[in-house]
Amino acid sequence: MIHRRTTFAAASVLALLIAAPALAQTAGVAPVGATVPTAQGGANASALLYNAADPAKSVIAATGELGGLEFYGLDGQRRSALAGGETYGVDVRGDLIAVLDRKDGRLRLSRYDFAGGTAASLDARPLTLGYAGEGLCLHRSARDGALYAFTLGGEGQLDQWLLFQAADGKLDGRIVRRLHLSSEAKYCVADDAAGTLYVAQQAVGIWRYDADPEAEAVATVVDINRLGRIKGEVGGLAVLNGGAGGNYLVAANADAGDYNVYDRNADDRFLGAFRIQANGADVLQGPSGLFGLRAPVGPGLPAGALLVTDDRKAGANTQVLSWKDVAAALNVSPGADAPTVAPSKLALVTATMETQPVEHGGDAADDPAIYVHPTDPDKSAIIATDKKGGMLVYDLAGKPLQYLPDGKMNNVDLRHGFKLGGKSVTLVTASDRTHKAIAIYTIDPDTRQLTSVADGVQATGLSDPYGLCMYRNRKGATFVFISDPDGLVRQWKLVATPAGKVRAEAVRDVKFDTQTEGCVADDETGALYVAEEDVALWKLGAEPATGTARKAVARVADNPALKDDLEGVGLYAQSGGKGYLVVSSQGNNSYALFRREGDNAFVGSFAVIADGATGIDGISETDGLDVTSASLGAGLEGGAFVAQDGRNVSPPENQNFKLVPWSTIPRKLGLN
């Protein structure tokens, strides 16, 4: 489950009060048009279907409660209607329409045909809410183009749905994030360009979230009742994004009878307010929804439109304001035409497998290691850590094979070819934070079970054994590196005892300025790569005799693709010294690739996104990862990438590990 955190400080409230004084006399703005009243009474939301081919032929879609969704021309005349339950909220993206049906407690999806003037259902199946719905809004991600719907409930529910195309071409949906406010929420709006979601919590205030379902669910206050500029309940929200020249949030301050405007280019600072008036008298009786579009919509709306739904007892309709008029009344720039969203530079891939979630909640799953079976690739496995409990082994379908409750294991790695008890074994080590020791195991290739072979507790002498990786040099010696949060990385040589156990002998200390965790050693080249979380990825020698000299492969401050923390590090080793280093850039939920050879040149980044059809969500806030170039069987002939998912959001469950076929990564990055 994703837990909501609210960012709220006294300084924030004070800023709301003093940042910008309200206008001495609230400006009045007259509507430039209005729709005819709804057919059966009741109007609570509207949206503008923008006809890009001929903006003057754009269409207003407005909810008419039991009358369904009604469509009007810009002249205000009703053109058609789409029946369906009790419509109570609407939002659009292009010609796609999402409606909240309160009667059946579901989302309804349809597509509008500008040529025919009608809409047709796109529902692959009923998307039921399971609670009393109050409102909705849509969001199209600039990162991956995914379409989301947010639904709001009478008891503070806030669900995020991923909408995706089903096999028959219609639209299906899955809940990918579930938040909860302390009381009813009725209005929301999302800005696709900025990836921002605004939510109005009734009688409380306005909150801002990151609209990405994989982002941390932090609610930041924009305005608040009594202490800020809101008086009573918010009657609707709208965004008019005109870029750097003018980017605004509008909130209907219903009890005060005016409309607050906030500067989104200045951290949502309050700018001023206006009233909707004609001949000096207020026009609206019951504002019940706003919709903004910052693009020219015919001669009377050169800078876009602000729609205001008036849910009056008699004659409920939608009022149309010119955004140019609103900006002039507030003496601010209307901004430029709606900015185009720059395409993401990230290569986007999806996971094909996810493991069963770990048993412990919170930040528990941490680091995986891929075990390649020596003779049967299908019997390979994923060995992973639960840093609140122990060691895990999964098969390639994500099914648990073993759990050892041996302590708080943080990182894990393995090496083949260790000579123990007269035979060659695969040695698995983990950083044991419970005993401040090195946990040492072998894995049986037939049962894929771990067995401890440590010669007693192998104490590290570290305050908190943290990051870990292994190294096997060309002479067959096997080493393990473990980091301490204070920046110390200690190296041990692993030695077999006559009794068939393994002990660790310290051979070198390397001190970094700040905390490190992720590391990987290249057995062929003798290089060690260490991620200093907030600083850089470093390269140094893996042999004990190479000392402490190091070189920065990439610094966080110098590479825009990297955002701290740098966490997991893996090596995709190919023949001839070729291959790639993979680094988890935790701060932006992506993975950076560097060439294995030469100066380790940066070649690009990728992200793992949700797959609506399979129900496997994306990967975010990754701690540990591993990659292999060895075949793992059908579909994984080119190896695999496995990473910890710090926010397992769909469905909301404990953390787990997800697998991506390696072949999709270089293909999406355009690499050979």
Side-chain angles (χ1 to χ4, degrees):
M1 175 66 70
I2 299 298
H3 300 285
R4 178 179 60 83
R5 294 196 307 158
T6 301
T7 303
F8 189 81
S12 300
V13 180
L14 184 60
L16 285 170
L17 295 172
I18 66 173
L23 299 178
Q25 183 176 357
T26 303
V29 180
V32 297
T35 66
V36 298
T38 58
Q40 296 190 30
N44 40 60
S46 61
L48 188 63
L49 286 155
Y50 184 66
N51 188 335
D54 189 348
K57 293 183 179 179
S58 297
V59 173
I60 296 171
T63 60
E65 297 186 354
L66 292 174
L69 188 66
E70 301 185 1
F71 300 101
Y72 306 85
L74 294 182
D75 60 1
Q77 298 303 304
R78 186 183 298 105
R79 302 292 175 83
S80 61
L82 179 66
E86 181 187 10
T87 60
Y88 201 76
V90 62
D91 202 359
V92 300
R93 286 297 183 274
D95 59 358
L96 180 72
I97 306 168
V99 167
L100 180 67
D101 174 2
R102 292 182 68 176
K103 178 176 179 291
D104 294 334
R106 56 176 283 194
L107 278 173
R108 291 184 181 272
L109 305 169
S110 59
R111 175 158 282 128
Y112 188 81
D113 178 9
F114 284 104
T118 58
S121 172
L122 280 178
D123 295 320
R125 64 184 178 93
L127 300 180
T128 56
L129 274 59
Y131 51 82
E134 291 291 336
L136 87 157
C137 57
L138 293 175
H139 167 60
R140 174 126 9 225
S141 169
R143 180 183 176 100
D144 58 13
L147 181 65
Y148 299 97
F150 294 91
T151 56
L152 307 174
E155 296 181 357
Q157 295 93 341
L158 173 53
D159 288 345
Q160 183 170 5
W161 299 71
L162 171 63
L163 304 179
F164 58 93
Q165 193 171 59
D168 60 1
K170 294 189 175 183
L171 287 180
D172 203 343
R174 295 179 187 272
I175 293 177
V176 294
R177 182 165 58 161
R178 176 159 280 170
L179 310 176
H180 202 286
L181 301 172
S182 59
S183 59
E184 178 185 7
K186 190 172 182 178
Y187 300 104
C188 66
V189 65
D191 180 19
D192 298 348
T196 303
L197 170 72
Y198 295 93
V199 178
Q201 185 179 359
Q202 295 300 86
V204 177
I206 304 169
W207 304 99
R208 184 179 72 225
Y209 292 87
D210 190 321
D212 184 348
E214 297 287 351
E216 187 175 8
V218 176
T220 302
V221 66
V222 173
D223 204 343
I224 198 161
N225 196 9
R226 292 195 319 115
L227 297 174
R229 304 286 181 174
I230 298 295
K231 181 181 179 182
E233 296 187 353
V234 175
L237 296 171
V239 164
L240 291 105
N241 188 344
N247 188 357
Y248 307 100
L249 171 71
V250 182
N253 195 9
D255 289 1
D258 55 22
Y259 298 80
N260 291 351
V261 180
Y262 305 86
D263 187 351
R264 299 185 62 232
N265 289 333
D267 196 28
D268 298 317
R269 179 175 61 90
F270 176 76
L271 278 176
F274 66 93
R275 302 182 78 90
I276 300 176
Q277 296 179 323
N279 300 318
D282 289 341
V283 174
L284 272 76
Q285 294 181 6
S288 184
L290 303 180
F291 182 89
L293 177 69
R294 182 56 192 87
V297 191
L301 301 165
L306 178 68
L307 306 184
V308 186
T309 307
D310 188 4
D311 195 16
R312 61 178 68 199
K313 292 182 179 180
N317 68 351
T318 296
Q319 301 286 330
V320 182
L321 278 69
S322 166
W323 182 246
K324 181 180 179 181
D325 292 349
V326 175
L330 293 171
N331 195 27
V332 298
S333 167
D337 291 348
T340 57
V341 179
S344 171
K345 294 181 180 179
L346 289 170
L348 304 173
V349 300
T350 56
T352 59
M353 184 279 286
E354 60 180 337
T355 67
Q356 182 174 306
V358 299
E359 292 296 327
H360 293 92
D363 188 19
D366 197 274
D367 189 42
I370 301 171
Y371 167 69
V372 180
H373 193 278
T375 59
D376 187 349
D378 290 333
K379 290 185 178 179
S380 299
I382 297 168
I383 304 170
T385 62
D386 179 342
K387 60 189 175 189
K388 292 187 177 181
M391 300 292 296
L392 299 149
V393 182
Y394 302 93
D395 65 17
L396 293 181
K399 177 184 176 182
L401 299 175
Q402 184 185 27
Y403 174 64
L404 291 175
D406 288 356
K408 297 178 180 179
M409 304 295 180
N410 203 69
N411 279 193
V412 62
D413 203 359
L414 57 84
R415 283 297 185 273
H416 302 291
F418 188 84
K419 301 300 182 182
L420 184 66
K423 60 180 182 179
S424 179
V425 301
T426 298
L427 211 59
V428 179
T429 64
S431 47
D432 180 352
R433 301 172 72 178
T434 296
H435 304 98
K436 298 185 179 181
I438 309 170
I440 308 173
Y441 305 89
T442 57
I443 183 168
D444 186 300
D446 296 324
T447 64
R448 291 174 286 182
Q449 301 288 293
L450 297 174
T451 301
S452 175
V453 292
D455 186 22
V457 175
Q458 298 299 296
T460 62
L462 302 177
S463 66
D464 186 10
Y466 205 62
L468 176 146
C469 59
M470 295 179 70
Y471 166 58
R472 186 170 188 266
N473 68 17
R474 295 188 177 189
K475 294 180 179 180
T478 302
F479 302 86
V480 61
F481 300 87
I482 299 184
S483 67
D484 195 290
D486 67 0
L488 176 64
V489 176
R490 181 163 289 166
Q491 181 177 5
W492 287 266
K493 183 178 182 180
L494 299 177
V495 179
T497 72
K501 299 293 185 178
V502 180
R503 70 172 187 268
E505 299 176 351
V507 294
R508 178 172 58 150
D509 282 355
V510 180
K511 187 69 170 64
F512 291 83
D513 292 336
T514 59
Q515 181 168 313
T516 68
E517 182 175 6
C519 64
V520 69
D522 188 331
D523 295 353
E524 184 178 341
T525 66
L528 173 68
Y529 298 90
V530 178
E532 188 175 3
E533 294 185 351
D534 298 335
V535 181
L537 175 67
W538 299 96
K539 180 180 181 179
L540 60 158
E543 290 292 331
T546 55
T548 61
R550 73 203 69 160
K551 176 184 177 182
V553 172
R555 295 181 182 272
V556 173
D558 298 335
N559 188 329
L562 301 178
K563 185 172 177 58
D564 53 340
D565 293 346
L566 302 185
E567 291 279 348
V569 185
L571 176 65
Y572 185 85
Q574 297 172 293
S575 61
K578 299 292 182 66
Y580 301 97
L581 290 163
V582 187
V583 182
S584 166
S585 177
Q586 192 180 71
N588 57 9
N589 297 329
S590 67
Y591 308 91
L593 259 65
F594 300 86
R595 293 200 182 277
R596 180 190 182 198
E597 64 271 21
D599 292 332
N600 305 119
F602 172 71
V603 295
S605 294
F606 69 95
V608 183
I609 61 173
D611 185 338
T614 65
I616 300 178
D617 58 303
I619 310 179
S620 57
E621 206 175 61
T622 290
D623 286 329
L625 62 83
D626 197 16
V627 291
T628 182
S629 59
S631 173
L632 299 181
L636 300 172
E637 294 86 352
F641 165 86
V642 178
Q644 177 253 15
D645 185 7
R647 299 189 186 98
N648 191 23
V649 297
S650 181
E653 294 179 317
N654 290 343
Q655 296 176 342
N656 69 353
F657 302 89
K658 293 181 168 69
L659 179 148
V660 177
W662 178 264
S663 59
T664 64
I665 295 169
R667 184 172 71 246
K668 289 295 184 73
L669 282 166
L671 304 173
N672 293 325

